[in-house]
Amino acid sequence: MNHYKLTGHAATNAAVASQKKRSRAASLAGKLWNERYLYLLLLPGLLYFIIYRYVPMLGNVIAFQDFSPFQGFLHSDWVGLKHFKKIFADREVIRVIWNTLYLSFLQIAFAFPVSIALSLMLNEVRGEKYKRIIQSLVYLPHFLSWVVVAGIVTVMLKSEGIVNHYLQAGLGIHAIPFLTSPHWFMPLIVLEVIWKESGWGTIIFLAALAGVNPSLYEAAVVDGASKIRQLWHITLPSIRSTIIILLILRLGSVLDVGFEQIFLMLNPLNKSIGDVLDTYVYYKGIQSSDFSFATAVGLFKSLVGLVLIVGANKLAKKFGEEGIY
Amino acid sequence: MVKNHSLLEKLGGVLNVVLLAVVGLLMLFPFYYMIATSFTSAAESATKTFVLFPKRWVFDAYSYIFHSKVFVRSLFVTAGVTVVGSVFSLLLTSMMAYPLSRNITGQRFYLFLVLFTFVFGAGIIPTYMVVKSTHLIDTYWALIIPGAINSFNLIVLRQFFLGIPNDLTEAAVLDGANDLQIFTRIILPLSKPALAAFGLFYAVTSWNTYFNALIYINDPTKWTVQVILRQIVILSQRLDSLSDGQQAAIASASPPGETIGMAAILIATLPILALYPFLQKHFAKGVMLGSVKG
């Protein structure tokens, strides 16, 4: 009663607002109550994301500490950017970053185009059955584990393996130390990726190619365009946006070259060229318990990845493409 | 001129078919090599007379492997983890995907939480520490829980749920069904093909997983088959030397290492090969689904 008199108009407004707020709160509570079963279903997954995806993100704070497992991250000393400065002062880390970038660009330059070429070739096949057989064959390696792929490669290429046996018996050259020589490491990794994943990579391009309007080709044929010209003026432009989107995604993960494959092919003799960020973090953090520094390297990697993917997406939009979000 | 054109094009078409056949053979060769090597006799393997066909096909490597406790146990461990893990993952993923496909309060926030994990990963070390502090190290759950939900699968499955016509659920609401009943009696039965596809997806991932077993499992009796494969094929360790205390009885007369290795790889790959026809069909569809922007 009292406050009505006090400021008249304004007070009435406030009362209405607070009532609205209350009723909105009540309706939110009602809505949540109606959704209680949905929340019940959501909860386990949400807990999973919080505990195993987001808590570790927070756990990255130990990159700014001298973390000791005995003191926990609440009581370890804060050291600011010490470990990040160390990244750029440490020649070993610089070498590892360089290895990672080098391998990534080799993969983009060699493995990525193979998928495109393979899709274009498959797209030209007239016999449906033949096409399907080849597709089944090229998808197959994708489902094997890296251990299996690296295992077969190891047995075939080791110094007394079949490849070296025939190189010696057939061509009379000395055995080539494929697995232990730094020179062979990168080519082997890229070849393995091409064998395992390029067939799988065709799926998305084939889908894009299937969406091309056939009347474009008919018109081109009427105009007397050769196959090559059709490829250049119709086929490639119509899968351009797919290529660009996949390239963006790939660029966003240039520092991500895959742990398992690299780790399985690494040995003390090729480590100088083969160690990449993920394997380095594993050796530093889990093998040598240098937690804070390893976390700093890992965080650096994730942050660069984040910046790259956002940047590449912006760039794609600037060039009039759709981007990924 | 025009004739020249088409002759060249025909030639190109033939070349294309031939090249693709070569690609297909290149994909097959490692499998063939693996099979042939695994059946080669010790004598032939030593003298390298192995060409494309072993002169005598022997099963020594297989009988050796199936007598080794270590490898057989690892197969059982992997099979168990794969079955339990894929069911668990499928359950968790679909349970989460369904509310996200409804107009649940805070939907945008939850979706953001999921999508953000696409662009920012937590890193190896902090994840390891969380797994450690939740006491999963050296338990089979370490191979199941940390990767339980694949964000990509979750989003694609949500997309699939969104495609189920609303009329069906509205009718159920009128009949007095609550969201749990709608989920279990309507949505899940209607999604069988999608669930089968994602179940296979999770199964292959967990059968093939090496990294998690490497960092979370130190106890050799809990090693999965991929870990054993690395030990015997890539590091050329002997199976009998891997056994935990109990020596294998047949250590003396064992077949050559690469023969055993290839046989082991073949055995470990058989489940994948057996599922392959289903995999191929579903997976290609899944990839397409995922590539449709939504």
Side-chain angles (χ1 to χ4, degrees):
Chain A
M1 277 299 133
N2 225 348
H3 57 257
Y4 273 133
K5 227 187 278 168
L6 218 73
T7 38
H9 193 71
T12 324
N13 265 357
V16 169
S18 87
Q19 204 174 357
K20 254 191 191 160
K21 216 181 206 172
R22 219 174 308 140
S23 75
R24 211 184 301 146
S27 79
L28 181 67
K31 195 160 184 281
L32 285 174
W33 177 248
N34 283 336
E35 290 169 349
R36 62 192 181 280
Y37 291 117
L38 289 179
Y39 265 94
L40 203 65
L41 289 170
L42 183 71
L43 203 64
L46 210 54
L47 278 177
Y48 163 76
F49 269 92
I50 292 169
I51 298 175
Y52 291 100
R53 300 296 188 90
Y54 281 90
V55 171
M57 281 186 207
L58 295 179
N60 275 317
V61 296
I62 67 171
F64 304 96
Q65 297 180 325
D66 271 337
F67 178 77
S68 136
F70 306 106
Q71 289 166 314
F73 69 91
L74 288 179
H75 303 288
S76 294
D77 294 328
W78 292 91
V79 294
L81 294 177
K82 175 178 145 191
H83 298 295
F84 290 90
K85 285 180 187 145
K86 213 170 123 195
I87 292 179
F88 299 103
D90 191 331
R91 292 184 59 179
E92 204 186 342
V93 189
I94 299 293
R95 184 177 50 75
V96 167
I97 293 176
W98 169 246
N99 289 349
T100 314
L101 286 173
Y102 180 53
L103 179 56
S104 212
F105 281 111
L106 280 183
Q107 289 188 0
I108 293 175
F110 293 101
F112 192 72
V114 171
S115 276
I116 301 179
L118 202 54
S119 336
L120 293 175
M121 286 165 73
L122 278 168
N123 196 46
E124 286 303 315
V125 175
R126 290 289 148 259
E128 266 309 307
K129 206 168 177 190
Y130 183 70
K131 185 175 169 184
R132 226 170 303 137
I133 292 173
I134 299 292
Q135 274 179 299
S136 304
L137 289 179
V138 297
Y139 293 167
L140 183 56
H142 169 78
F143 295 99
L144 303 183
S145 70
W146 274 118
V147 178
V148 167
V149 175
I152 298 174
V153 168
T154 303
V155 169
M156 287 177 79
L157 294 186
K158 63 186 181 183
S159 54
E160 64 277 19
I162 184 163
V163 171
N164 271 318
H165 177 75
Y166 284 109
L167 282 180
Q168 282 170 301
L171 302 174
I173 39 182
H174 286 293
I176 298 173
F178 293 106
L179 301 168
T180 48
S181 138
H183 303 294
W184 282 97
F185 186 82
M186 293 290 180
L188 270 183
I189 295 288
V190 175
L191 282 174
E192 284 177 9
V193 169
I194 290 177
W195 186 75
K196 189 169 185 288
E197 306 295 348
S198 60
W200 191 245
T202 62
I203 290 180
I204 204 148
F205 293 115
L206 284 172
L209 287 169
V212 181
N213 187 349
S215 63
L216 290 177
Y217 290 109
E218 285 156 23
V221 171
V222 171
D223 288 346
S226 65
K227 275 272 172 203
I228 299 292
R229 295 209 133 232
Q230 291 174 33
L231 179 75
W232 188 251
H233 291 293
I234 302 173
T235 313
L236 282 178
S238 22
I239 59 171
R240 193 181 71 162
S241 61
T242 308
I243 295 178
I244 290 181
I245 287 178
L246 291 181
L247 258 182
I248 293 175
L249 285 173
R250 193 61 196 72
L251 283 175
S253 54
V254 281
L255 295 184
D256 241 324
V257 284
F259 174 89
E260 289 191 9
Q261 183 197 9
I262 309 288
F263 178 77
L264 291 162
M265 297 297 292
L266 272 185
N267 54 49
L269 294 165
N270 60 25
K271 212 163 175 292
S272 62
I273 186 102
D275 218 1
V276 294
L277 279 169
D278 279 336
T279 50
Y280 185 75
V281 169
Y282 166 80
Y283 286 120
K284 273 285 165 197
I286 290 173
Q287 297 274 28
S288 326
S289 301
D290 194 350
F291 296 115
S292 282
F293 182 58
T295 306
V297 176
L299 185 60
F300 166 75
K301 179 187 155 236
S302 298
L303 287 176
V304 173
L306 185 66
V307 170
L308 282 174
I309 202 154
V310 172
N313 199 46
K314 276 225 170 86
L315 205 67
K317 282 186 174 163
K318 215 171 205 168
F319 283 105
E321 296 294 338
E322 259 195 276
I324 47 168
Y325 57 82
Chain B
M1 188 64 203
V2 173
K3 226 176 181 181
N4 237 342
H5 227 127
S6 70
L7 185 70
L8 261 179
E9 275 172 16
K10 249 181 207 151
L11 218 72
V14 173
L15 190 69
N16 186 36
V17 168
V18 173
L19 271 179
L20 280 174
V22 173
V23 171
L25 287 179
L26 279 176
M27 294 293 160
L28 270 186
F29 181 72
F31 288 93
Y32 175 75
Y33 176 74
M34 179 164 94
I35 295 169
T37 307
S38 71
F39 287 106
T40 309
S41 67
E44 228 177 312
S45 174
T47 54
K48 289 281 172 207
T49 49
F50 168 92
V51 195
L52 281 177
F53 278 103
K55 286 198 189 74
R56 221 159 52 83
W57 295 68
V58 294
F59 292 85
D60 295 356
Y62 291 91
S63 74
Y64 175 82
I65 285 174
F66 282 114
H67 278 97
S68 91
K69 210 177 144 197
V70 184
F71 189 80
V72 175
R73 183 178 50 207
S74 79
L75 278 180
F76 277 109
V77 167
T78 316
V81 168
T82 299
V83 171
V84 176
S86 10
V87 171
F88 184 75
S89 288
L90 200 55
L91 194 72
L92 230 57
T93 309
S94 53
M95 277 168 67
M96 192 173 183
Y98 178 61
L100 291 181
S101 75
R102 314 291 300 184
N103 227 341
I104 192 172
T105 313
Q107 189 197 36
R108 287 171 62 93
F109 173 69
Y110 302 129
L111 275 176
F112 176 80
L113 275 189
V114 174
L115 291 175
F116 187 67
T117 61
F118 279 153
V119 289
F120 192 82
I124 296 170
I125 307 299
T127 308
Y128 174 81
M129 287 183 167
V130 169
V131 172
K132 197 171 178 185
S133 56
T134 47
H135 303 291
L136 296 184
I137 300 290
D138 271 342
T139 70
Y140 295 130
W141 289 107
L143 304 175
I144 295 173
I145 293 178
I149 298 181
N150 174 307
S151 305
F152 182 77
N153 292 359
L154 178 68
I155 294 297
V156 178
L157 193 60
R158 169 182 178 264
Q159 214 64 31
F160 185 88
F161 288 161
L162 281 173
I164 295 176
N166 256 332
D167 309 356
L168 288 167
T169 50
E170 274 162 23
V173 171
L174 285 180
D175 288 340
N178 64 34
D179 285 314
L180 273 185
Q181 289 163 329
I182 294 175
F183 178 63
T184 53
R185 304 246 179 98
I186 298 177
I187 302 293
L188 286 186
L190 282 176
S191 313
K192 270 182 201 151
L195 294 177
F198 288 111
L200 286 173
F201 194 113
Y202 279 126
V204 171
T205 311
S206 89
W207 183 272
N208 281 344
T209 217
Y210 171 72
F211 179 69
N212 283 359
L214 171 76
I215 63 174
Y216 300 141
I217 306 290
N218 304 314
D219 176 358
T221 65
K222 289 179 176 148
W223 274 349
T224 61
V225 72
Q226 305 293 342
V227 178
I228 302 282
L229 284 184
R230 172 177 183 246
Q231 306 280 343
I232 60 177
V233 184
I234 298 175
L235 302 181
S236 312
Q237 291 178 10
R238 301 191 53 88
L239 251 183
D240 43 67
S241 71
L242 287 177
S243 58
D244 39 311
Q246 311 104 323
Q247 279 294 320
I250 44 167
S252 52
S254 61
E258 64 178 44
T259 310
I260 293 174
M262 290 291 110
I265 283 188
L266 189 65
I267 295 168
T269 312
L270 275 182
I272 304 268
L273 295 179
L275 285 178
Y276 186 56
F278 307 97
L279 286 171
Q280 201 204 345
K281 197 173 80 192
H282 287 308
F283 270 65
K285 226 180 271 168
V287 170
M288 305 287 215
L289 255 173
S291 66
V292 179
K293 275 183 55 170

